[in-house]
Amino acid sequence: MKGNRLPNKFFKENPLLDNSAAMLMYWSVDGEFWSILCRELFDTLEDPERKKKIEETHDRIARTEDPAELVEIMRKGYDNFNQQQLCEKVLEKQEETMPLVLKRFRTCSLDLFIEAAAVVLARGDRKYAIQLREMYQDIRCPYARACACLIFGIQGMDGEIPFLVEEYERFCEEGFEQSISEDDEDDTSRDYEEFPLLALYILHGKW
């Protein structure tokens, strides 16, 4: 490694997986792309009850002004189709919502919350990503740690390249391939090492 830069050999020897959870997370940060995709998929839903619940949650998010309630919805009150609207509402009130998001991110193992929190932290003010880095060692959930690594890449935190290499190697060595969340006992392989690896690709302009 020269300074904080990795040689091209590193990327040749460590290719990204196609269609990984890290890739899905990266594209979910792109609000416009995700919104278009959700609109197209919403029309194909065949479950009327789910459609009704999505629409009710949409209305609830639109009405909600309380930062604590928004974070509570992130934790347990939304369908994936509501994610972008919810994240945009949280980002409107960053000074009030982000401290609450960071506090939850430290201890929560719910996929629903971690994924929404990762989107807002990746799209929000960089100072919150810096705070996330400062509390990284206190984050309990391996999936949350993996998502945090990707946030550092999306936020352009070049100074974290050596750390991201360490985390990539650690995830590879420890084999964090599966995590059972509080709300999903049939959780599938996530390949956690792909999150810091994708962050490294982003920071080197290779993605």
Side-chain angles (χ1 to χ4, degrees), residues 16-18 22 34 47 63 88 101 108 129 131 134-135 138-139 160 168 179 182:
L16 290 167
L17 293 178
D18 294 329
W34 199 253
D47 183 347
R63 292 192 309 269
E88 288 169 7
V101 170
C108 190
Q131 291 175 32
E134 291 170 351
M135 64 177 241
D138 296 326
I139 298 172
E160 301 302 331
Y168 171 61
S179 172
E182 295 173 12

Side-chain angles (χ1 to χ4, degrees), residues 61 70 73-74 78 82-90:
I61 293 168
L70 288 171
I73 295 172
M74 288 174 66
Y78 76 94
N82 300 119
Q83 187 186 78
Q84 286 305 313
Q85 180 205 12
L86 177 58
C87 291
E88 288 169 7
K89 193 68 176 279
V90 170

Side-chain angles (χ1 to χ4, degrees), residues 4-48:
N4 278 344
R5 311 307 292 177
L6 292 169
N8 287 329
K9 180 181 178 183
F10 174 87
F11 298 100
K12 291 180 180 178
E13 294 177 348
N14 299 278
L16 290 167
L17 293 178
D18 294 329
N19 303 318
S20 67
M23 290 285 191
L24 182 60
M25 175 64 67
Y26 174 82
W27 286 115
S28 70
V29 173
D30 184 336
E32 183 177 356
F33 168 83
W34 199 253
S35 294
I36 292 171
L37 178 63
C38 284
R39 281 198 299 270
E40 292 178 352
L41 291 176
F42 184 78
D43 292 334
T44 68
L45 286 179
E46 297 180 354
D47 183 347

Side-chain angles (χ1 to χ4, degrees), residues 81-133:
F81 282 92
N82 300 119
Q83 187 186 78
Q84 286 305 313
Q85 180 205 12
L86 177 58
C87 291
E88 288 169 7
K89 193 68 176 279
V90 170
L91 287 166
E92 289 175 4
K93 301 174 176 292
Q94 289 189 59
E95 293 294 332
E96 300 168 86
T97 56
M98 287 301 204
L100 301 175
V101 170
L102 287 167
K103 182 179 179 180
R104 282 282 189 186
F105 201 85
R106 190 191 305 268
T107 59
C108 190
S109 60
L110 290 165
D111 294 356
L112 199 68
F113 175 81
I114 291 169
E115 289 159 6
V119 170
V120 298
L121 287 164
R123 290 169 56 186
D125 193 302
R126 185 186 288 193
K127 69 181 181 181
Y128 300 112
I130 293 171
Q131 291 175 32
L132 178 66
R133 175 65 183 94

Side-chain angles (χ1 to χ4, degrees), residues 146-200:
C147 289
C149 289
L150 182 54
I151 291 165
F152 304 148
I154 294 172
Q155 284 281 8
M157 297 167 65
D158 294 72
E160 301 302 331
I161 288 175
F163 167 76
L164 290 168
V165 172
E166 290 177 4
E167 284 301 274
Y168 171 61
E169 293 173 347
R170 183 179 70 84
F171 278 128
C172 287
E173 290 172 3
E174 296 184 6
F176 282 120
E177 294 181 348
Q178 291 189 341
S179 172
I180 303 301
S181 67
E182 295 173 12
D183 60 348
D184 187 355
E185 295 182 356
D186 297 316
D187 197 16
T188 57
S189 173
R190 287 204 182 88
D191 300 302
Y192 290 164
E193 70 274 8
E194 289 294 302
F195 289 81
L197 182 61
L198 179 54
L200 290 167

